[in-house]
Amino acid sequence: MMEHINWYPGHMKKTRELIAENLKMVDAVVEVIDARIPFSSRNPIIDELVKNKKRIIILNKSDLSDHEANQEWEQYFRKRGNLVLTMNCMTGGGAAQLLKLLSRLQEEKNRDQVRKRPYRLMIVGVPNVGKSSLINRLTGKKSAPTGDRPGVTKGKQWLNLPGNMQLLDTPGILWPKFEDPKAGLNLAFCGSIKDEILDVATLALELISVLQRDYPSLLRERYKLEEISETPLETMEAIAMKRGCILPGKKIDYDRIAKVVLDEFRAGIIGRITLERASHE
Ligand SMILES: Nc1nc2c(ncn2[C@@H]2O[C@H](COP(=O)(O)OP(=O)(O)O)[C@@H](O)[C@H]2O)c(=O)[nH]1
Ligand SMILES: [Mg+2]
């Protein structure tokens, strides 16, 4: 289920308080981000919120992102003192590594203790990065508990993980970077905020503009284009011709081809693409 939350100041304040409260009970925070847009898919004040807790950053959807870029981002976050893992929470790729890493942390915590306490975790991230999928992967359940709207406190529940570890059942849903227009675009490309923010044709045109700059050969191969045109609009029209997205009167069906390109990008069909590189941040 995609979460479309209407963030307003009161909501954000409540979320902040809830996370602060939960933080007191956990040993580590697992921050899930979208590996295609690691910068845009991070909450703007995440560092301030989490402060000095141990942090594990999950570069999720790494099946959709550029392999080389994944490695750069891993390095980027590691250099800044985080633990980092690439994952695919849809198939469970990386889950074993994460459990191994957590169990090492659990042992460190309990090394000199007579009574071994569970190592406690919470998951945080903006909507659609894969928080629920991660919970399901770790607990082996089909569906994570719902009702995970910020500010709605239910009785806290700890889900038991193998190896004396416990996970808070509801993830901390953080607000996205909606004040940064570039981040807004990236989130919209990845389907993490509503398409209505821009009309679908304009959104696709923006995406094509990025793709023809950074991944021209993937674009050419996918849509069997002889060459990449000068302007994104020409490229979009060439793709529309190839796909037969033509209206009566030989007009281009911009909305239809826009949906095709966006859907194929989001599903990883155009190729493995990362929209933000660590070297540019
Ligand atoms: N390709 C791919 N899709 C994923 C991955 N993780 C989650 N998804 C999909 O992304 C969407 C959002 O996932 P969800 O767990 O609901 O995100 P949440 O809003 O953070 O809880 C769903 O359609 C998932 O199937 C991943 O690693 N790879
Ligand atoms: Mg969820």
Side-chain angles (χ1 to χ4, degrees), residues 135-148:
I135 293 179
N136 296 342
R137 281 292 149 190
L138 290 175
T139 58
K141 283 193 194 134
K142 280 225 166 61
S143 61
T146 48
D148 48 355

Side-chain angles (χ1 to χ4, degrees), residues 3 60-61 63-64 88-90 128-133:
E3 293 136 354
N60 191 39
K61 308 198 184 189
D63 53 311
L64 301 176
N88 173 354
C89 289
M90 206 143 86
N128 205 45
V129 286
K131 298 178 300 297
S132 301
S133 307

Side-chain angles (χ1 to χ4, degrees), residues 232-260:
L233 185 59
E234 285 168 330
T235 304
M236 189 160 164
E237 288 169 348
I239 296 172
M241 301 294 274
K242 288 280 181 187
R243 288 301 178 92
C245 291
I246 311 294
L247 292 165
K250 293 197 172 143
K251 285 203 192 119
I252 305 267
D253 190 341
Y254 289 101
D255 282 352
R256 194 146 69 87
I257 196 57
K259 286 200 188 77
V260 168

Side-chain angles (χ1 to χ4, degrees), residues 213-231:
R213 186 192 66 208
D214 294 346
Y215 292 93
S217 52
L218 289 184
L219 207 54
R220 233 180 29 237
E221 277 162 39
R222 175 65 197 161
Y223 299 109
K224 311 213 166 16
L225 307 169
E226 281 83 53
E227 51 174 10
I228 292 291
S229 313
E230 287 280 310
T231 68

Side-chain angles (χ1 to χ4, degrees), residues 182-194:
K182 217 168 135 242
L185 261 185
N186 282 332
L187 289 161
F189 293 154
C190 294
S192 294
I193 54 176
K194 283 187 192 171

